[in-house]
């Protein structure tokens, strides 16, 4: 029987809502990165900008950790070609949809409104600018700078999941049918704060090394098609491996409540100076900035385990609305960016001159319509199998 862990489904719903919050917020506060819709700088919301550094660490790390947790049973159920075929369908087809339909829709909105390029109809933009077939218009300049037109956008996470799933399948094939080597470590390993700190230190060492060569938000194409941000790669890969180990060592279930709550408290204490920075001595901000590689690594791990234990202890139940949303989290992730950007353009500055009101209005509309769209698409037979 398929294991059903309500608290993990509920946690994925919460994380998906934070992803939507994060991407809605990117239009209304400076992020340091690219977003296809931006309000003027003087209308930015400062407190939103202070949440981005917190979210960008733990959010995707925890998604990878949960994904790693479910890889072993997925292999055990299907093994071999069945596992690979399922992953290629479930993860590969959304990548095709995103690459050829969803991402160019988002980029076209940016091109048409903010790029400063000659106006183009959709089809000519799609063929000449996005796909690079034919000659772009006179005076065309690449937009956004340093980001190729053809890319997976926010679906980089899905691309990485597919890559890691295939690597895991290769590992299981090579290892054969023997028991997991991690099981032999179970008598000597105990879930608790020492293991959390080991994860923190491993990620920190790797992150400090990698960021000597790559800055945050510096994306590189590996083999020309793997979309990768090396600065956060140690955090994501070690988190995925932690989820794999947790499955074999029962780490999610056996992590002591005290250790999980202590992690959450530490994470909140580390996040607070970031959020309250304008009211704190300048030296606090300088310290966080200069030690960010270490600071972010520890805070992300503390948030990951703290939220896992919090939801395990308080949210391991079913509610109809949560069950419905829990079945749609993957589809919602695939579809949310075009919906978010669409609402950002539609609302614009028409309904209110107050940026905070526009932000919360777009956030509410984006959450509701994203999950409704995900529910609709999951009912379509053609896409039901690959939107989860």
């Amino acid at each position: 029987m398929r294991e059903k862990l309500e608290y993990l489904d509920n946690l994925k719903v919460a994380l998906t809502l934070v992803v939507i919050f994060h991407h809605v917020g990117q239009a209304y506060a400076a992020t340091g990165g690219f977003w296809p819709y931006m309000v003027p700088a003087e209308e930015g919301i400062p407190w939103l900008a202070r949440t981005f550094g917190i979210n960008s660490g733990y959010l995707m790390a925890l998604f990878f950790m949960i994904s790693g947790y479910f890889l072993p049973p997925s292999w055990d159920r299907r093994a071999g070609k069945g596992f690979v075929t399922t992953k290629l369908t479930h993860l590969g087809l959304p990548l095709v949809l995103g690459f050829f339909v969803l991402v160019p829709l988002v980029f076209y909105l940016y091109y048409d409104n903010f790029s400063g390029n000659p106006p183009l109809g959709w089809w000519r933009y799609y063929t000449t600018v996005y796909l690079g077939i034919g000659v772009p218009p006179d005076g065309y300049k690449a937009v956004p700078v340093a980001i190729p037109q053809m890319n997976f956008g926010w679906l980089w996470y899905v691309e990485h999941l597919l890559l890691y799933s295939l690597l895991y399948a290769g590992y299981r094939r090579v290892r054969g049918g023997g028991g997991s080597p991690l099981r032999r470590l179970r008598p000597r390993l105990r879930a608790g704060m020492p293991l959390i700190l080991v994860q923190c230190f491993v990620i920190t060492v790797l992150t400090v090394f990698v960021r000597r060569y790559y800055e945050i938000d510096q994306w590189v194409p590996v083999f020309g098609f793997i979309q990768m941000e090396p600065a956060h790669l140690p955090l994501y890969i070690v988190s995925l491996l932690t989820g794999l180990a947790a499955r074999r060592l029962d780490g999610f279930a056996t992590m002591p409540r005290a250790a999980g709550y202590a992690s959450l408290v530490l994470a909140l204490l580390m996040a607070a100076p970031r959020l309250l920075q304008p009211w704190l001595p300048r030296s606090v901000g300088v310290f966080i900035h200069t030690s960010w590689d270490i600071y972010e690594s520890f805070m992300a791990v503390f948030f990951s385990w703290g939220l896992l234990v919090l939801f395990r202890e308080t949210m391991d139940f079913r509610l109809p609305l949560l069950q419905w949303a829990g079945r749609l989290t993957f589809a919602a992730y695939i579809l949310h960016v075009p919906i978010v950007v669409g609402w950002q353009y539609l609302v614009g500055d028409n309904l209110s001159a107050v940026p905070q009101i526009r932000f919360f209005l777009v956030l509410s509309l984006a959450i509701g319509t994203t999950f409704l769209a995900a529910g609709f698409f999951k009912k379509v037979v053609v896409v039901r199998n690959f939107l989860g």
Side-chain angles (χ1 to χ4, degrees):
M1 290 180 61
R2 182 187 174 195
E3 181 182 19
K4 191 68 175 172
L5 300 170
E6 271 70 24
Y7 76 92
L8 287 178
D9 285 343
N10 294 338
L11 178 55
K12 286 191 290 184
V13 172
L15 294 177
T16 303
L17 294 178
V18 177
V19 168
I20 297 174
F21 169 92
H22 188 94
H23 285 151
V24 171
Q26 283 193 261
Y28 304 99
T31 67
F34 167 76
W35 191 253
Y37 178 88
M38 291 295 296
V39 301
E42 63 273 13
E43 298 180 17
I45 306 173
W47 66 265
L48 265 180
R50 295 193 292 273
T51 68
F52 294 150
I54 298 169
N55 294 339
S56 63
Y58 81 88
L59 186 56
M60 302 314 297
L62 189 43
F63 267 126
F64 276 115
M65 205 157 135
I66 295 171
S67 297
Y69 187 78
F70 285 107
L71 271 180
S74 179
W75 173 271
D76 294 340
R77 283 195 306 272
R78 298 181 179 92
K81 291 182 179 179
F83 176 88
V84 172
T85 301
T86 299
K87 293 302 179 184
L88 287 173
T89 302
H90 183 60
L91 301 174
L93 291 179
L95 285 175
V96 174
L97 172 69
F99 187 84
F100 287 106
V101 180
L102 301 180
V103 172
L105 282 174
V106 170
F107 270 72
Y108 178 67
L109 286 173
Y110 176 83
Y111 177 94
D112 200 41
N113 291 274
F114 288 104
S115 73
N117 275 299
L120 288 178
W122 157 253
W123 183 246
R124 191 176 176 202
Y125 164 83
Y126 184 70
T127 54
T128 62
V129 175
Y130 185 77
L131 296 179
I133 302 172
V135 181
D138 293 337
Y140 168 78
K141 59 181 182 295
V143 289
V145 176
I147 297 180
Q149 286 295 301
M150 289 194 294
N151 68 90
F152 289 108
W154 65 100
L155 299 180
W156 67 265
Y157 165 67
V158 181
E159 184 187 26
H160 280 236
L161 273 187
L162 178 58
L163 173 64
Y164 303 148
S165 298
L166 296 178
L167 289 173
Y168 179 74
Y171 161 74
R172 290 295 296 267
R173 272 297 190 188
V174 170
R175 187 170 61 81
S180 170
L182 290 172
R183 292 194 183 278
R184 294 193 288 272
L185 297 176
R186 183 181 292 172
R188 288 173 293 193
L189 289 178
R190 294 288 184 272
M193 187 56 72
L195 279 182
I196 294 174
L197 292 175
V198 167
Q199 183 183 351
C200 289
F201 281 113
V202 171
I203 290 172
T204 297
V205 170
L206 294 173
T207 297
V208 169
F209 174 77
V210 170
R211 291 187 185 179
R212 292 171 59 188
Y213 305 98
Y214 297 96
E215 299 178 353
I216 294 175
D217 271 333
Q218 181 181 351
W219 291 83
V220 297
V222 179
F223 303 122
F225 66 93
I226 300 175
Q227 205 166 297
M228 190 172 291
E229 185 205 12
H232 280 111
L233 202 58
L235 175 60
Y236 300 152
I237 291 179
V238 175
S239 295
L240 181 115
L241 293 174
T242 300
L244 281 168
R247 166 62 70 168
R248 294 309 188 193
L249 301 173
D250 298 327
F252 284 5
T254 59
M255 177 62 67
R257 179 170 55 183
Y261 284 167
S263 292
L264 186 58
V265 169
L266 288 170
L268 293 171
L269 289 174
M270 295 182 76
R274 175 87 179 190
L275 296 172
L276 302 175
Q277 194 168 323
W279 300 278
L280 297 176
R282 184 175 179 274
S283 58
V284 174
V286 172
F287 169 76
I288 293 175
H289 177 75
T290 55
S291 62
W292 183 246
D293 298 347
I294 302 170
Y295 202 93
E296 182 189 33
S297 299
F298 273 75
M299 182 170 59
V301 175
F302 287 150
F303 262 123
S304 295
W305 282 108
L307 290 172
L308 269 169
V309 172
L310 176 68
F311 272 70
R312 187 192 71 195
E313 297 297 319
T314 64
M315 295 290 291
D316 194 23
F317 55 77
R318 297 184 181 186
L319 287 177
L321 182 60
L322 282 176
Q323 278 187 286
W324 174 78
R327 292 191 296 268
L328 300 175
T329 52
F330 182 70
Y333 182 86
I334 299 296
L335 299 171
H336 81 280
V337 168
I339 294 172
V340 165
V341 174
W343 281 118
Q344 287 166 341
Y345 275 97
L346 284 172
V347 170
D349 57 0
N350 299 319
L351 300 182
S352 174
V354 182
Q356 288 89 342
I357 294 177
R358 297 204 301 270
F359 164 72
F360 284 110
L361 176 61
V362 171
L363 179 63
S364 302
L365 291 169
I367 289 173
T369 51
T370 293
F371 278 93
L372 287 174
F376 170 77
F377 276 97
K378 281 205 56 167
K379 290 183 179 296
V380 178
V381 175
V382 176
V383 299
R384 185 181 301 160
N385 290 332
F386 67 87
L387 282 185

